[in-house]
Amino acid sequence: MTLHVASATAPVNIATLKYWGKRDKDLNLPTNSSISVTLSQDDLRTLTSVACGPELQEDKLWLNGKEESLGSERTQNCLKDLRDLRAKMEASDSSMPTMSQWKLHIVSENNFPTAAGLASSAAGFAALVVAITKVFQLKEDYSEISKIARKGSGSACRSLFGGYVAWEMGQSIDGSDSKAVPVSTKEDWPNMKAAVLVVSDVKKDTPSTSGMQLTVKTSDLFQERIKNVVPKRFEEMKKSIVEKDFATFADLTMKDSNSFHATCLDSYPPIFYMNDTSRKIIRLVHNINAFYNETIVAYTYDAGPNAVLYYLEENEEKLFAFIYKYFNKVSGWDTKYNASELQNFLKKFDAVEEKLNFQTDEDIYKGVSRVILTRVGDGPQSTDQCLINKETGLPN
Ligand code: PMV
């Protein structure tokens, strides 16, 4: 078979200023701008390979080893936009193969278990559009491509860049100015780390799309959030990132997570994404910051109970004195630290214990299934690693 093949990886991003609310559901246009930190692909990434050729019979997708339907409107919108861009190139150069008319085989894999409950759709759509951009040899820059990823999943547009990323909501009704732009690179502020406390939960959340729709329709608080709270916070947070002002960045991050969850509670009927463990972790974070009399850690929660803690590398021992103490029975620590380093965190706790001025539920770890230790990372990457057999067009 004559196949053209390309592969790319894309990262997960976790918002510090939340996207919540659509002004256009089909185009995934948001009611507010948002900001996120891109996480390292060493720990969390999607790898996607695509094959394109005149002999392929239909578009097909395999996700984590299983064939899945490509029928969703969101995925179809992404494929259509990418094919339209390719068709434009072909129209201006008749020597180019007519790939825009050929079918695609797409094979995609995450390097983390879906069971972790981390939104993998951002990395997934970002990897998909980048891999197809490569096989089609499109020349558009990543801000332009981010508009296509946005149609797959809003937050996916921010996974087109590494470091610290803004999604500018834009004004136009066709979405042509609703795109991701870098705020700062990973190299500008490299010591940002993240610890994800994966909170076990049996029940399924309200999916983000229907949750947003309900909030937009029913919450009065939400109107205040999009008109007055977020626009100001967007500017302040960008400034804190550029100035590497962690305390301000962390305060804004925590307040914005709380503001987003407040609009969920203010929806009618209310939506609850956090559970008791999530709330205990919030309390613990505030107690840790108060204990050190300095903001060394921030929490943020998406549409689920998992806590993402942001902190700077230089404060890791101070933070882990507490979080390793309370969560050492949970798996994941040994991915980054050996036994003596972990022992050292316990010693740090022993050293501060007598000054302790707060109490934490000793059983708090029971609500957490694992910890993922990671840090700020790069944007999508090309890779030679290929998940598709170049002869057959099927998964390897
Ligand atoms: O992109 P979606 O539809 O998965 O929505 C993401 C919504 C939040 O994760 C809660 C916030 C955000 O900005 O990522």
Side-chain angles (χ1 to χ4, degrees), residues 52 59 78 84 121 169 172 196 203 231 234 236 239 241 252 257 264 279 282-283 302 324 341 366 390:
C52 183
D59 289 336
C78 293
D84 286 351
S121 67
M169 65 180 286
S172 83
V196 185
K203 71 170 195 311
F234 183 65
E236 289 170 350
K239 184 165 177 276
I241 291 169
L252 293 169
S257 174
C264 291
R279 284 186 284 272
I282 289 181
R283 185 57 63 216
D302 279 343
Y324 186 65
E341 287 165 323
K366 289 185 179 163
K390 286 174 192 151

mmCIF file of all heavy atoms in Angstrom, residues 52 59 78 84 121 169 172 196 203 231 234 236 239 241 252 257 264 279 282-283 302 324 341 366 390:
data_model
loop_
_atom_site.group_PDB
_atom_site.id
_atom_site.type_symbol
_atom_site.label_atom_id
_atom_site.label_comp_id
_atom_site.label_asym_id
_atom_site.label_seq_id
_atom_site.Cartn_x
_atom_site.Cartn_y
_atom_site.Cartn_z
ATOM 1 N N CYS A 52 -2.357 7.893 5.760
ATOM 2 C CA CYS A 52 -3.251 8.449 4.766
ATOM 3 C C CYS A 52 -2.860 7.845 3.419
ATOM 4 O O CYS A 52 -1.672 7.796 3.097
ATOM 5 C CB CYS A 52 -3.016 9.966 4.774
ATOM 6 S SG CYS A 52 -4.067 10.875 3.691
ATOM 7 N N ASP A 59 -12.349 6.199 7.054
ATOM 8 C CA ASP A 59 -11.654 6.760 8.212
ATOM 9 C C ASP A 59 -11.847 5.801 9.384
ATOM 10 O O ASP A 59 -12.972 5.348 9.632
ATOM 11 C CB ASP A 59 -12.262 8.127 8.585
ATOM 12 C CG ASP A 59 -11.924 9.210 7.566
ATOM 13 O OD1 ASP A 59 -10.902 9.071 6.865
ATOM 14 O OD2 ASP A 59 -12.685 10.204 7.490
ATOM 15 N N CYS A 78 -13.058 18.458 13.208
ATOM 16 C CA CYS A 78 -11.594 18.592 13.141
ATOM 17 C C CYS A 78 -11.069 18.051 11.810
ATOM 18 O O CYS A 78 -10.277 18.701 11.132
ATOM 19 C CB CYS A 78 -10.915 17.827 14.281
ATOM 20 S SG CYS A 78 -11.231 18.506 15.916
ATOM 21 N N ASP A 84 -9.859 20.686 4.606
ATOM 22 C CA ASP A 84 -10.069 21.939 3.857
ATOM 23 C C ASP A 84 -8.747 22.686 3.675
ATOM 24 O O ASP A 84 -8.466 23.227 2.599
ATOM 25 C CB ASP A 84 -11.072 22.849 4.591
ATOM 26 C CG ASP A 84 -12.506 22.341 4.455
ATOM 27 O OD1 ASP A 84 -12.729 21.398 3.664
ATOM 28 O OD2 ASP A 84 -13.395 22.889 5.154
ATOM 29 N N SER A 121 -8.908 14.157 26.988
ATOM 30 C CA SER A 121 -9.387 14.641 25.697
ATOM 31 C C SER A 121 -8.533 15.792 25.170
ATOM 32 O O SER A 121 -8.348 15.917 23.964
ATOM 33 C CB SER A 121 -10.853 15.065 25.786
ATOM 34 O OG SER A 121 -10.992 16.201 26.600
ATOM 35 N N MET A 169 -10.529 34.164 24.359
ATOM 36 C CA MET A 169 -11.892 33.788 23.974
ATOM 37 C C MET A 169 -12.282 34.304 22.592
ATOM 38 O O MET A 169 -13.001 33.638 21.863
ATOM 39 C CB MET A 169 -12.914 34.267 25.006
ATOM 40 C CG MET A 169 -13.029 35.771 25.133
ATOM 41 S SD MET A 169 -14.256 36.269 26.354
ATOM 42 C CE MET A 169 -15.782 35.919 25.490
ATOM 43 N N SER A 172 -15.340 37.156 17.598
ATOM 44 C CA SER A 172 -16.099 36.936 16.356
ATOM 45 C C SER A 172 -16.994 35.698 16.455
ATOM 46 O O SER A 172 -16.688 34.753 17.186
ATOM 47 C CB SER A 172 -15.137 36.822 15.172
ATOM 48 O OG SER A 172 -14.658 35.530 15.089
ATOM 49 N N VAL A 196 -0.404 15.565 41.237
ATOM 50 C CA VAL A 196 -1.831 15.282 41.036
ATOM 51 C C VAL A 196 -2.237 14.226 42.058
ATOM 52 O O VAL A 196 -1.664 13.133 42.080
ATOM 53 C CB VAL A 196 -2.103 14.743 39.612
ATOM 54 C CG1 VAL A 196 -3.607 14.568 39.381
ATOM 55 C CG2 VAL A 196 -1.490 15.658 38.555
ATOM 56 N N LYS A 203 -18.968 7.557 41.496
ATOM 57 C CA LYS A 203 -19.982 8.064 40.572
ATOM 58 C C LYS A 203 -19.357 8.869 39.429
ATOM 59 O O LYS A 203 -18.290 9.455 39.566
ATOM 60 C CB LYS A 203 -21.019 8.897 41.318
ATOM 61 C CG LYS A 203 -20.500 10.226 41.808
ATOM 62 C CD LYS A 203 -21.633 11.086 42.306
ATOM 63 C CE LYS A 203 -21.202 12.530 42.458
ATOM 64 N NZ LYS A 203 -19.978 12.789 43.174
ATOM 65 N N PRO A 231 -12.270 38.530 33.524
ATOM 66 C CA PRO A 231 -11.481 39.446 32.693
ATOM 67 C C PRO A 231 -10.318 40.096 33.471
ATOM 68 O O PRO A 231 -9.202 40.203 32.956
ATOM 69 C CB PRO A 231 -12.510 40.491 32.249
ATOM 70 C CG PRO A 231 -13.817 39.753 32.267
ATOM 71 C CD PRO A 231 -13.716 38.812 33.436
ATOM 72 N N PHE A 234 -7.681 37.375 34.407
ATOM 73 C CA PHE A 234 -6.917 36.935 33.229
ATOM 74 C C PHE A 234 -5.655 37.796 33.082
ATOM 75 O O PHE A 234 -4.549 37.274 32.894
ATOM 76 C CB PHE A 234 -7.817 37.060 31.989
ATOM 77 C CG PHE A 234 -7.209 36.570 30.700
ATOM 78 C CD1 PHE A 234 -6.894 35.232 30.523
ATOM 79 C CD2 PHE A 234 -6.976 37.442 29.637
ATOM 80 C CE1 PHE A 234 -6.355 34.765 29.324
ATOM 81 C CE2 PHE A 234 -6.442 36.995 28.438
ATOM 82 C CZ PHE A 234 -6.130 35.653 28.284
ATOM 83 N N GLU A 236 -4.293 39.727 35.460
ATOM 84 C CA GLU A 236 -3.451 39.585 36.658
ATOM 85 C C GLU A 236 -2.656 38.283 36.628
ATOM 86 O O GLU A 236 -1.484 38.246 37.005
ATOM 87 C CB GLU A 236 -4.331 39.597 37.926
ATOM 88 C CG GLU A 236 -4.912 40.960 38.237
ATOM 89 C CD GLU A 236 -5.969 40.929 39.345
ATOM 90 O OE1 GLU A 236 -6.404 39.825 39.759
ATOM 91 O OE2 GLU A 236 -6.364 42.014 39.786
ATOM 92 N N LYS A 239 0.242 38.428 34.160
ATOM 93 C CA LYS A 239 1.315 39.245 34.733
ATOM 94 C C LYS A 239 2.101 38.436 35.779
ATOM 95 O O LYS A 239 3.337 38.454 35.798
ATOM 96 C CB LYS A 239 0.688 40.495 35.374
ATOM 97 C CG LYS A 239 1.663 41.493 35.932
ATOM 98 C CD LYS A 239 0.946 42.836 36.184
ATOM 99 C CE LYS A 239 1.860 43.874 36.821
ATOM 100 N NZ LYS A 239 1.957 43.759 38.273
ATOM 101 N N ILE A 241 2.562 35.321 35.925
ATOM 102 C CA ILE A 241 3.372 34.288 35.251
ATOM 103 C C ILE A 241 4.628 34.927 34.647
ATOM 104 O O ILE A 241 5.740 34.443 34.832
ATOM 105 C CB ILE A 241 2.537 33.555 34.168
ATOM 106 C CG1 ILE A 241 1.460 32.689 34.832
ATOM 107 C CG2 ILE A 241 3.431 32.714 33.270
ATOM 108 C CD1 ILE A 241 0.414 32.124 33.880
ATOM 109 N N LEU A 252 -4.423 33.434 42.859
ATOM 110 C CA LEU A 252 -5.394 33.562 41.763
ATOM 111 C C LEU A 252 -5.890 32.182 41.319
ATOM 112 O O LEU A 252 -7.071 31.990 41.034
ATOM 113 C CB LEU A 252 -4.766 34.296 40.573
ATOM 114 C CG LEU A 252 -4.421 35.775 40.794
ATOM 115 C CD1 LEU A 252 -3.556 36.299 39.640
ATOM 116 C CD2 LEU A 252 -5.690 36.617 40.934
ATOM 117 N N SER A 257 -10.335 28.382 40.983
ATOM 118 C CA SER A 257 -10.917 27.047 41.129
ATOM 119 C C SER A 257 -12.169 27.158 41.998
ATOM 120 O O SER A 257 -13.235 26.631 41.652
ATOM 121 C CB SER A 257 -9.879 26.105 41.761
ATOM 122 O OG SER A 257 -10.455 24.856 42.046
ATOM 123 N N CYS A 264 -20.784 26.137 39.814
ATOM 124 C CA CYS A 264 -21.396 24.801 39.676
ATOM 125 C C CYS A 264 -22.435 24.599 40.771
ATOM 126 O O CYS A 264 -23.549 24.130 40.508
ATOM 127 C CB CYS A 264 -20.324 23.711 39.753
ATOM 128 S SG CYS A 264 -19.237 23.722 38.329
ATOM 129 N N ARG A 279 -12.278 18.452 49.439
ATOM 130 C CA ARG A 279 -12.398 19.587 50.375
ATOM 131 C C ARG A 279 -11.376 19.490 51.503
ATOM 132 O O ARG A 279 -10.826 20.506 51.930
ATOM 133 C CB ARG A 279 -13.824 19.653 50.935
ATOM 134 C CG ARG A 279 -14.815 20.217 49.933
ATOM 135 C CD ARG A 279 -16.188 20.401 50.553
ATOM 136 N NE ARG A 279 -16.876 19.124 50.679
ATOM 137 C CZ ARG A 279 -17.639 18.594 49.708
ATOM 138 N NH1 ARG A 279 -17.818 19.231 48.573
ATOM 139 N NH2 ARG A 279 -18.230 17.433 49.883
ATOM 140 N N ILE A 282 -8.176 20.823 50.153
ATOM 141 C CA ILE A 282 -8.204 22.299 50.116
ATOM 142 C C ILE A 282 -7.830 22.847 51.493
ATOM 143 O O ILE A 282 -6.984 23.740 51.624
ATOM 144 C CB ILE A 282 -9.606 22.805 49.703
ATOM 145 C CG1 ILE A 282 -9.853 22.507 48.224
ATOM 146 C CG2 ILE A 282 -9.753 24.299 50.004
ATOM 147 C CD1 ILE A 282 -11.195 22.973 47.688
ATOM 148 N N ARG A 283 -8.441 22.291 52.512
ATOM 149 C CA ARG A 283 -8.163 22.741 53.883
ATOM 150 C C ARG A 283 -6.686 22.523 54.215
ATOM 151 O O ARG A 283 -6.022 23.402 54.758
ATOM 152 C CB ARG A 283 -9.092 21.968 54.848
ATOM 153 C CG ARG A 283 -9.038 22.373 56.288
ATOM 154 C CD ARG A 283 -9.340 23.844 56.555
ATOM 155 N NE ARG A 283 -10.684 24.217 56.172
ATOM 156 C CZ ARG A 283 -11.017 25.407 55.653
ATOM 157 N NH1 ARG A 283 -10.098 26.334 55.428
ATOM 158 N NH2 ARG A 283 -12.261 25.684 55.343
ATOM 159 N N ASP A 302 -10.628 20.421 38.373
ATOM 160 C CA ASP A 302 -11.436 20.498 37.151
ATOM 161 C C ASP A 302 -12.820 19.900 37.410
ATOM 162 O O ASP A 302 -13.256 19.859 38.545
ATOM 163 C CB ASP A 302 -10.709 19.768 36.015
ATOM 164 C CG ASP A 302 -9.630 20.643 35.387
ATOM 165 O OD1 ASP A 302 -9.664 21.871 35.586
ATOM 166 O OD2 ASP A 302 -8.755 20.097 34.692
ATOM 167 N N TYR A 324 3.715 14.093 51.831
ATOM 168 C CA TYR A 324 4.198 12.703 51.888
ATOM 169 C C TYR A 324 3.772 12.070 53.207
ATOM 170 O O TYR A 324 3.410 10.894 53.263
ATOM 171 C CB TYR A 324 5.723 12.610 51.692
ATOM 172 C CG TYR A 324 6.166 11.174 51.615
ATOM 173 C CD1 TYR A 324 5.765 10.365 50.556
ATOM 174 C CD2 TYR A 324 6.934 10.597 52.634
ATOM 175 C CE1 TYR A 324 6.117 9.025 50.502
ATOM 176 C CE2 TYR A 324 7.292 9.253 52.588
ATOM 177 C CZ TYR A 324 6.877 8.476 51.510
ATOM 178 O OH TYR A 324 7.209 7.148 51.466
ATOM 179 N N GLU A 341 15.279 9.137 49.935
ATOM 180 C CA GLU A 341 14.692 10.472 49.710
ATOM 181 C C GLU A 341 13.306 10.567 50.357
ATOM 182 O O GLU A 341 12.960 11.584 50.956
ATOM 183 C CB GLU A 341 14.593 10.764 48.207
ATOM 184 C CG GLU A 341 15.930 11.061 47.557
ATOM 185 C CD GLU A 341 15.892 10.999 46.028
ATOM 186 O OE1 GLU A 341 15.188 10.130 45.458
ATOM 187 O OE2 GLU A 341 16.586 11.815 45.421
ATOM 188 N N LYS A 366 -7.071 7.643 52.387
ATOM 189 C CA LYS A 366 -7.990 6.584 51.935
ATOM 190 C C LYS A 366 -8.857 7.029 50.760
ATOM 191 O O LYS A 366 -9.379 6.207 50.020
ATOM 192 C CB LYS A 366 -8.878 6.101 53.086
ATOM 193 C CG LYS A 366 -8.089 5.301 54.111
ATOM 194 C CD LYS A 366 -8.970 4.720 55.180
ATOM 195 C CE LYS A 366 -8.132 3.899 56.163
ATOM 196 N NZ LYS A 366 -8.851 3.642 57.411
ATOM 197 N N LYS A 390 3.242 0.514 8.390
ATOM 198 C CA LYS A 390 3.275 1.319 7.163
ATOM 199 C C LYS A 390 2.860 0.535 5.920
ATOM 200 O O LYS A 390 2.594 1.116 4.870
ATOM 201 C CB LYS A 390 4.677 1.904 6.966
ATOM 202 C CG LYS A 390 4.932 3.033 7.946
ATOM 203 C CD LYS A 390 6.352 3.544 7.893
ATOM 204 C CE LYS A 390 6.575 4.453 9.090
ATOM 205 N NZ LYS A 390 7.915 4.504 9.581
#
